[in-house]
Amino acid sequence: MKRRLLAATTAVTLSLTMAACGAASDSSGGDAEEGPIKIALIPPTSGALAQFGTDSVKGWETAVRLVNEDGGIDGREVELLVKGTDADPATTLRVAKEAVTQDGAQFIGSVMTSPEHGALNAQLEGLGALSFNSLGKDDALVGEQCSPYAVHVVQTTSMDVNALANSIAEMPGEKWAIQAVDYATGHSAAETFKAAAEKAGKEVVLEQFAPLNTTDFGSYITKLKNSGADAVFAVEFGADGVAFVQQADQFNLDDQLKTVLGLNMVSEPLFETLGESIVGYYNNVGYDAAADTEANKEFIEAYTEDHGSAPYYVPADAYAAAQILFAGIEEAGSSEPAEVAEALADLTVETNVGEVTVRGTDNQVLRDSYLGKVVKGDGGLAFEVVTNTSADVTTTESDPACKF
Amino acid sequence: MNAAQLLNGIALGSLLMVLSSGLAMIYGLRGVANFAHGALYMSGAYIAYSVSDRAGFWLALLVVPLALAVVGVLLELVFFRPLQHRSHIELGLITFGLALMAERLVVLIWGERTLRVTPPEFLQGTSNFLGVEYPSYRLAIIAIAVVLAAALVLWLRSTTTGLHIRAASQDIETAAIMGINVDRVSLVVVAVGSALAGFAGALAAPYIALDPGMGSAFLITVLIIVVVGGIGSIGGAMIAGMGLGVIQSVTTVWSPSVAVVVPYLALTIVLLWRPTGLAGKRVS
């Protein structure tokens, strides 16, 4: 009797377990070919990067509105699942897993930092989801951390720095100091910049890294002043960037500098906050808002209508990511992430950031990079695009460490 | 290390000193680890942004502590007093929840955009202090914090209210038996503690960038300062705040990565060496 009971219990447990596994398997990635196409957005909702996360979501929202108004993709509606994270890789990974396995998301966007993308890339194949990175710039994401399920829409740090490097020789200042954020992007930017500066015959007299969310830059600025630097390359983002610029102004650091060159430090949403102290600052510009193309005009008009303000690089890149995804789904004739990933390889797409191609060997989107200078115009501060460098200069080939 | 780096440490220490003295007061009397203290500081900075935008920075320095004192009165009357017999963990969790709500409220009112407050014109740029060219506003912070600290200690040591606060902080039940109106003392302490948090926020506004997470960034450090200073000791918190600010800034010059762990290191060392904190049981 006991044996029969044990056997029955075992059979029931096994069948329940298998049913549960089956259910989990079915729910993973959702039903790829029916119902809405689901995209999970996982931006940071607090801390120094929260605003960029919110703006990235806005770019996706505009793209999805337009595509749904046109009848969706192959007749299927696109649905956004907006989640949130504290930008900690573990949190982001947990949220991504929930979105894919429980909510049926097939695609992921608006993940912010490079460490988050690094953690996510390692899991994408197992999750069966395709991620579109429009924010994390670390080179390793298309190198040793690359994934066939991750499309790198944004320019990498080395692409940005290579674009800036073309102009270093002409920029005033012989002794450069590097002030960067102490995480992957800051270090890789500093490394690439240092090599480019030395190649251009400039001297790097100081290299220092501040932890993310640094509030007091006094010690760093004092070291910068004491270093004798006459030019600074700064990689500080969001609230950190504002604090650095504000405090540098209080220390009169600009008096000894001929050039301040920022990497993602100065951007349009911060112009009002930073004020006129940044006039003359140089910064990489990921997106040329003045580009005279139909796709860009349509984007600017729709975005302004939706959100009441003009877009800048963060929503623009999110919108470009959405356009590339939609083109991939159309090309594949399916929303199955693996098939979309395959269809995207070497696909050329007309987007708001110009005509771009997804490089098949590492999924890097090949696009132009710009150097801008902050100028004071009639409507307030604006970027004047100084140079435009194409992808065949900024990224000549994919990293051999990336193997699909 | 040069004098400018030492001044950087003293400026940061001054800010921590003002911020932690408020928390130490509340902790000393109410025994509550007020996790909303960072949110009070953050709210102070945002109110200072709006007031200084319309009526000037000096008025903001006056209005913000008053506004936050009112918030403190509400905290005391709505949460601390009715829940004083509940466990400290429950009250701590309530203050944690209040902090989260305050953060969202700030986002709703001011948005997620990073904001900046400009110091008064005559405090912009640098001044020569003992042969060092140093930001005028930071020198002003140091001066204001020193005056405030002296006034606070004087108030606690020389006035009847100060005497009652010290007595209630030592033993609230005995103080009540001796005829001290501990409810009134608690109300004063929570209001003044909150006002100090707001004042620190207003002082910090032109110093650092304003974002809704700015309170959380300082909260852990300030909690550590209160423990290192000696739980409930305002004088201890002031000394620990200044000390930690200087040590952290000096360590940043040498190694920014190590500077991040300085507060935790200080906490471990002090708790091992002197478990009651630097000031032991002394209140002021």
Side-chain angles (χ1 to χ4, degrees):
Chain A
M1 181 65 189
K2 271 185 184 174
R3 276 186 188 172
R4 250 187 255 167
L5 187 64
L6 187 65
T9 311
T10 309
V12 169
T13 310
L14 270 174
S15 59
L16 282 175
T17 308
M18 288 173 77
C21 288
S25 172
D26 284 344
S27 69
S28 173
D31 191 339
E33 300 308 323
E34 286 175 21
I37 296 164
K38 292 183 180 179
I39 306 165
L41 303 182
I42 313 173
T45 51
S46 61
L49 304 171
Q51 191 197 343
F52 296 117
T54 305
D55 292 339
S56 174
V57 171
K58 288 179 180 174
W60 278 96
E61 284 173 345
T62 296
V64 167
R65 174 178 73 79
L66 291 182
V67 81
N68 282 339
E69 280 176 5
D70 279 351
I73 306 171
D74 294 334
R76 292 174 65 195
E77 194 188 356
V78 180
E79 184 183 326
L80 290 177
L81 308 169
V82 182
K83 307 283 181 180
T85 176
D86 54 4
D88 178 61
T91 312
T92 306
L93 203 52
R94 179 179 54 75
V95 176
K97 282 178 179 172
E98 278 173 15
V100 174
T101 58
Q102 292 175 22
D103 301 327
Q106 299 135 316
F107 306 101
I108 297 169
S110 289
V111 172
M112 174 72 67
T113 66
S114 297
E116 288 174 275
H117 281 289
L120 190 61
N121 284 7
Q123 303 286 331
L124 285 170
E125 199 158 359
L127 277 174
L130 186 59
S131 167
F132 286 77
N133 173 12
S134 64
L135 293 156
K137 287 176 168 270
D138 188 27
D139 284 89
L141 297 172
V142 282
E144 59 192 13
Q145 294 176 349
C146 76
S147 163
Y149 284 78
V151 180
H152 204 270
V153 179
V154 71
Q155 298 95 333
T156 60
T157 299
S158 66
M159 285 170 76
D160 279 337
V161 181
N162 286 338
L164 301 182
N166 269 353
S167 309
I168 293 175
E170 285 85 48
M171 283 185 188
E174 296 304 313
K175 293 181 175 178
W176 284 75
I178 298 172
Q179 171 69 49
V181 61
D182 192 9
Y183 74 70
T185 301
H187 283 274
S188 62
E191 198 178 323
T192 313
F193 179 85
K194 196 174 174 185
E198 283 168 357
K199 197 176 164 189
K202 311 277 184 175
E203 186 187 355
V204 175
V205 293
L206 177 70
E207 197 177 349
Q208 57 182 355
F209 300 90
L212 185 66
N213 292 327
T214 293
T215 49
D216 184 7
F217 282 92
S219 300
Y220 300 95
I221 294 168
T222 304
K223 277 179 85 175
L224 281 172
K225 289 189 85 164
N226 294 341
S227 72
D230 58 6
V232 167
F233 173 58
V235 190
E236 297 290 350
F237 312 136
D240 293 18
V242 173
F244 176 70
V245 170
Q246 174 176 347
Q247 291 168 29
D249 188 30
Q250 290 172 3
F251 273 84
N252 284 344
L253 179 64
D254 286 355
D255 287 356
Q256 80 176 55
L257 300 179
K258 294 172 181 163
T259 301
V260 177
L261 173 61
L263 182 72
N264 299 326
M265 182 172 74
V266 174
S267 57
E268 288 89 340
L270 296 175
F271 280 170
E272 193 186 329
T273 304
L274 293 170
E276 290 185 14
S277 60
I278 58 164
V279 171
Y281 277 31
Y282 292 92
N283 203 86
N284 64 304
V285 178
Y287 157 69
D288 182 8
D292 189 20
T293 64
E294 279 307 312
N296 189 40
K297 283 180 195 163
E298 184 190 30
F299 163 60
I300 291 173
E301 193 183 324
Y303 184 90
T304 310
E305 188 186 324
D306 285 351
H307 307 294
S309 60
Y312 65 106
Y313 75 92
V314 168
D317 285 354
Y319 184 89
Q323 287 189 307
I324 294 166
L325 166 62
F326 301 158
I329 295 172
E330 275 177 7
E331 180 74 12
S334 158
S335 64
E336 179 60 46
E339 290 175 31
V340 177
E342 204 174 317
L344 280 172
D346 297 316
L347 184 70
T348 296
V349 184
E350 186 64 41
T351 72
N352 58 319
V353 298
E355 190 180 85
V356 302
T357 302
V358 182
R359 185 163 56 194
T361 47
D362 61 356
N363 279 353
Q364 172 63 51
V365 171
L366 303 177
R367 51 186 287 199
D368 288 356
S369 300
Y370 309 92
L371 171 66
K373 186 179 182 181
V374 181
V375 292
K376 194 180 169 189
D378 294 337
L381 301 181
F383 272 124
E384 178 186 278
V385 172
V386 180
T387 60
N388 173 9
T389 313
S390 63
D392 54 5
V393 175
T394 58
T395 172
T396 48
E397 57 187 17
S398 57
D399 186 340
C402 175
K403 292 183 178 68
F404 286 168
Chain B
M1 212 210 34
N2 61 23
Q5 292 291 16
L6 189 62
L7 285 171
N8 285 328
I10 295 172
L12 178 63
S14 300
L15 197 62
L16 292 174
M17 198 165 81
V18 179
L19 191 54
S20 53
S21 56
L23 185 63
M25 281 180 87
I26 297 172
Y27 199 106
L29 198 94
R30 273 287 173 215
V32 179
N34 181 16
F35 292 113
H37 203 71
L40 296 174
Y41 156 80
M42 181 257 304
S43 310
Y46 272 90
I47 297 170
Y49 167 79
S50 291
V51 176
S52 67
D53 198 33
R54 289 164 180 79
F57 180 70
W58 297 114
L59 191 68
L61 275 189
L62 191 69
V63 169
V64 169
L66 291 175
L68 268 292
V70 173
V71 175
V73 168
L74 291 174
L75 267 181
E76 167 67 12
L77 296 180
V78 179
F79 298 102
F80 294 167
R81 191 176 295 174
L83 301 172
Q84 60 186 317
H85 300 300
R86 303 285 279 272
S87 76
H88 292 171
I89 292 176
E90 284 178 39
L91 263 177
L93 284 175
I94 287 170
T95 59
F96 190 71
L98 290 172
L100 293 176
M101 284 193 274
E103 200 172 307
R104 291 321 294 173
L105 194 67
V106 161
V107 171
L108 287 173
I109 297 172
W110 286 278
E112 283 166 339
R113 197 161 58 95
T114 306
L115 301 173
R116 172 186 182 177
V117 174
T118 311
E121 203 164 331
F122 81 97
L123 289 178
Q124 291 175 14
T126 58
S127 299
N128 192 304
F129 180 73
L130 301 175
V132 181
E133 279 298 322
Y134 196 71
S136 310
Y137 185 71
R138 290 184 179 228
L139 292 172
I141 286 185
I142 296 170
I144 292 170
V146 168
V147 170
L148 186 77
L152 204 57
V153 171
L154 203 66
W155 177 60
L156 286 169
R157 291 197 170 185
S158 316
T159 64
T160 311
T161 310
L163 181 70
H164 290 173
I165 291 171
R166 285 187 288 144
S169 296
Q170 289 284 340
D171 188 334
I172 197 161
E173 284 170 7
T174 309
I177 293 166
M178 298 296 285
I180 293 173
N181 183 346
V182 290
D183 278 349
R184 192 186 71 85
V185 170
S186 293
L187 191 69
V188 170
V189 162
V190 179
V192 172
S194 303
L196 283 171
F199 188 72
L203 267 187
Y207 185 144
I208 61 175
L210 271 63
D211 79 281
M214 64 183 280
S216 323
F218 265 121
L219 180 65
I220 300 295
T221 306
V222 175
L223 283 170
I224 288 172
I225 287 169
V226 170
V227 176
V228 167
I231 291 173
S233 167
I234 299 153
M238 286 177 176
I239 293 166
M242 180 58 80
L244 205 63
V246 172
I247 294 170
Q248 198 163 11
S249 291
V250 169
T251 315
T252 301
V253 179
W254 169 60
S255 168
S257 309
V258 176
V260 176
V261 299
V262 161
Y264 309 100
L265 208 59
L267 179 71
T268 311
I269 292 169
V270 170
L271 287 183
L272 284 174
W273 165 59
R274 202 178 159 93
T276 51
L278 294 177
K281 295 272 183 189
R282 288 173 63 90
V283 176
S284 64

